[in-house]
Amino acid sequence: MSAERAPGFVPVIAIDGPSASGKGTVASLVARQLGFHYLDSGALYRLTALAAERQGVSWHDEMALAALAERLSVRFEANAVWLDERQVDDVLRSENMGAGASCVAQYPAVRAALLARQRAFRRAPGLVADGRDMASVVFPDASLKVFLTASPEIRAERRYKQLMEKGMDVKIDNLLVELTRQMAERDARDAARAVAPLVREPTAELLDTSAMTIQMAVDWVLARWKHLQQV
Ligand code: CDP
């Protein structure tokens, strides 16, 4: 009997990809559709960066960051994230915390400290997890692995629209140009780091959503999942 058919096996759908590729939205909708749990692993790196900022720990102090990551007091609710009993959603999604997350995520001790926390999200009936290393490191036995991407221009536009909708940072001149620059910088740092870099895991299926709506991408993942259930 394959491990996947063994009693108690909890399936994982791993969705990795670069910033603003739409992976978070797609992953959470797929999870909802299947009645699976959902892990936004990037939020844990963002929370580590935020906790560090609040406690005066440098984003480059690997050991202090790892200690912080180990004992983060976080609570995820359907539409809210809490750090030390304070709701932090808006600040967590800011571009500054995205940059902070990418900074702290370079450090092996930080990644190690967050590993068990991420794996604890794997509960029946299943998990959809999104991030950079879900398929390669955190859930190498995932049943379905998807590398979801889109062109840099489309990703910058999507992030721009997201920020406009939230009413954030809209007064900055040349915001789109600035977002494109920041995104390229973050992609380069994520792809170049020594541990768990942003790369497509060899067995992950590539999904380029440049010309797709969110619903088309969700339907694509669900169709792949359904197909796997039948083989
Ligand atoms: O939504 P977006 O892709 O912009 O960001 P995110 O998924 O919240 O991730 C923020 C940063 O955390 C990324 O730029 C990565 O450097 C880091 N990260 C990581 O290293 N590994 C993960 N599994 C998830 C995020």
Side-chain angles (χ1 to χ4, degrees), residues 16-21 23 40-43 45-46 93 97-98 101-103 105-106 111 118 130-134 138 159 186 190 193 196:
D16 292 304
S19 186
S21 54
K23 63 188 186 316
D40 167 9
S41 63
Y45 290 94
R46 288 171 183 264
R93 297 309 312 168
M97 240 14 97
S102 159
C103 207
Q106 299 175 78
R111 306 197 72 85
Q118 295 175 80
D130 90 66
R132 304 291 187 288
D133 60 345
M134 297 299 98
V138 184
R159 182 52 48 94
R186 184 133 71 94
D190 287 354
R193 70 183 173 214

Side-chain angles (χ1 to χ4, degrees), residues 114-165:
L114 292 176
L115 198 55
R117 215 180 255 272
Q118 295 175 80
R119 289 186 174 150
F121 278 78
R122 185 175 194 166
R123 281 177 282 126
L127 176 70
V128 184
D130 90 66
R132 304 291 187 288
D133 60 345
M134 297 299 98
S136 55
V137 176
V138 184
F139 303 110
D141 64 341
S143 308
L144 173 61
K145 299 178 176 182
V146 179
F147 190 81
L148 198 146
T149 189
S151 71
E153 296 76 22
I154 297 276
R155 292 192 286 120
E157 267 173 40
R158 287 179 184 166
R159 182 52 48 94
Y160 178 77
K161 277 195 197 140
Q162 244 176 21
L163 292 174
M164 295 286 277
E165 277 160 18

Side-chain angles (χ1 to χ4, degrees), residues 18 22 44-45 51 81 84 86 89-90 108 113 129 143 187 193 211 217 224:
L44 290 169
Y45 290 94
V81 184
D84 295 324
R86 281 156 80 186
D89 302 75
D90 285 349
S143 308
D187 282 356
R193 70 183 173 214
R224 291 298 303 139

Side-chain angles (χ1 to χ4, degrees), residues 199-217:
V199 284
R200 177 180 162 202
E201 202 262 357
T203 62
E205 302 186 35
L206 181 66
L207 178 61
D208 186 332
T209 65
S210 300
M212 283 177 143
T213 61
I214 290 288
Q215 193 55 49
M216 286 160 81

